[in-house]
Amino acid sequence: NKEQMLLDAQKIAKIGFWELDCNINLVSWSDELYEIFEVDKNFKLMKPDFFFQFVHPEDIDSVSSKTNKFFNNNTEIEYQSYRIITKKNNIKYLFSKKSKILDNNNKIIKIFGIVQDITQVTRYESFFKKIYEITSKSIGEEYFHNLTSFLCKEFDIEYSAVGEYIELEDKTAILSSYKLHGQKDNRLFYSIKNTPCEDVIKDKKSYIYEKNLMELFPEPQFIKDNNLESYIGFPLLNKN
């Protein structure tokens, strides 16, 4: 039904809603907002300051200041980005929007808010910024070595590699690779058929498989030989 579709859409987009009834000074949250804050759903109606206990200490002054201004000026809509520390002690990055409903005397009677968890997007942006900073001053083989060593250390992974796709042979040639403890690996060739690299090359976008890689891609011998459990791949495209 439509209600379930809306709930599913909120979960996929990681968007939650809240509503403040100013007449009783209590806030209600949508189910997804509980999930974002990792809070037990036993809290049905909360005081407005319930939220502030989760705001990151470095962001609390900014959030408090903007919230007070929103209540006390003529702004009808406010946007804000900030961090929280959830009930389970996880740091998340959020983007929020809130709007007022006024009565005939311009008194606030309700405030509606939308909150989106943008943690993954924010971390991706930070990750690619680090890649640029580390590799921007290197060229050729040094560039690839710096890139692969950075990936190993950043993600604490055992192995990373940069490969060149050879279209006529439907194979990838490993140009440079790096093992976590500083060991450079030998160059090798392998077929991309039925590998996660095939998805990256075909769709020209990043793919992440967090676990069970050998179950998802049972055919490639390269995956079996190296006992690969997870995979992150992204394309490096030329100007064409």
Side-chain angles (χ1 to χ4, degrees), residues 22-239:
C22 296
N23 292 321
I24 59 175
N25 199 35
L26 290 175
V27 178
S28 59
W29 284 11
S30 69
D31 287 350
E32 184 57 25
L33 201 55
Y34 287 99
E35 295 290 335
I36 291 172
F37 280 76
E38 298 177 339
V39 172
D40 192 278
K41 293 180 183 177
N42 290 336
F43 298 95
K44 296 300 180 184
L45 291 172
M46 294 84 72
K47 291 290 186 181
D49 58 359
F50 177 81
F51 152 80
F52 287 98
Q53 67 182 294
F54 301 104
V55 178
H56 194 286
E58 294 178 6
D59 295 341
I60 188 68
D61 289 343
S62 171
V63 171
S64 298
S65 175
K66 288 186 177 181
T67 299
N68 289 332
K69 288 179 182 178
F70 179 73
F71 273 93
N72 296 314
N73 62 24
N74 295 324
T75 303
E76 293 186 6
I77 298 176
E78 182 197 70
Y79 301 91
Q80 201 168 5
S81 296
Y82 51 89
R83 292 164 293 175
I84 62 167
I85 302 176
T86 70
K87 194 75 172 177
K88 295 182 179 179
N89 209 35
N90 294 313
I91 295 177
K92 293 186 177 182
Y93 295 78
L94 306 183
F95 174 77
S96 68
K97 172 186 176 183
K98 52 181 174 277
S99 60
K100 302 172 183 173
I101 294 182
L102 309 175
D103 63 15
N104 293 331
N105 298 315
N106 285 329
K107 180 182 176 182
I108 303 173
I109 54 176
K110 283 190 177 181
I111 295 177
F112 292 98
I114 299 173
V115 177
Q116 184 172 24
D117 181 356
I118 58 170
T119 304
Q120 190 174 41
V121 173
T122 303
R123 286 177 176 164
Y124 275 152
E125 289 175 349
S126 175
F127 166 66
F128 285 112
K129 183 179 179 182
K130 284 182 181 178
I131 286 182
Y132 175 76
E133 290 172 350
I134 288 171
T135 62
S136 61
K137 295 182 180 179
S138 56
I139 59 173
E141 189 170 328
E142 181 189 5
Y143 168 85
F144 293 125
H145 175 72
N146 289 344
L147 176 58
T148 51
S149 62
F150 164 75
L151 292 173
C152 273
K153 294 168 185 175
E154 179 73 10
F155 290 102
D156 191 26
I157 54 178
E158 287 295 328
Y159 182 82
S160 67
V162 175
E164 180 182 18
Y165 177 53
I166 304 172
E167 187 172 3
L168 292 178
E169 300 179 26
D170 200 28
K171 290 182 178 180
T172 291
I174 300 297
L175 299 178
S176 178
S177 59
Y178 189 89
K179 290 190 176 179
L180 182 60
H181 302 295
Q183 177 185 354
K184 290 184 69 175
D185 207 13
N186 296 324
R187 295 187 179 191
L188 56 89
F189 293 83
Y190 68 93
S191 172
I192 68 161
K193 186 174 177 59
N194 298 321
T195 70
C197 295
E198 184 176 36
D199 296 334
V200 173
I201 292 168
K202 179 179 66 177
D203 298 331
K204 294 183 175 64
K205 68 177 186 180
S206 302
Y207 275 90
I208 298 176
Y209 300 96
E210 295 183 0
K211 56 184 179 180
N212 303 325
L213 188 69
M214 286 186 282
E215 295 176 20
L216 295 170
F217 299 90
E219 296 182 28
Q221 194 63 39
F222 178 79
I223 292 176
K224 296 176 186 176
D225 291 344
N226 289 278
N227 196 31
L228 302 181
E229 287 294 331
S230 56
Y231 174 92
I232 299 175
F234 55 92
L236 299 173
L237 305 176
N238 61 23
K239 293 181 179 180

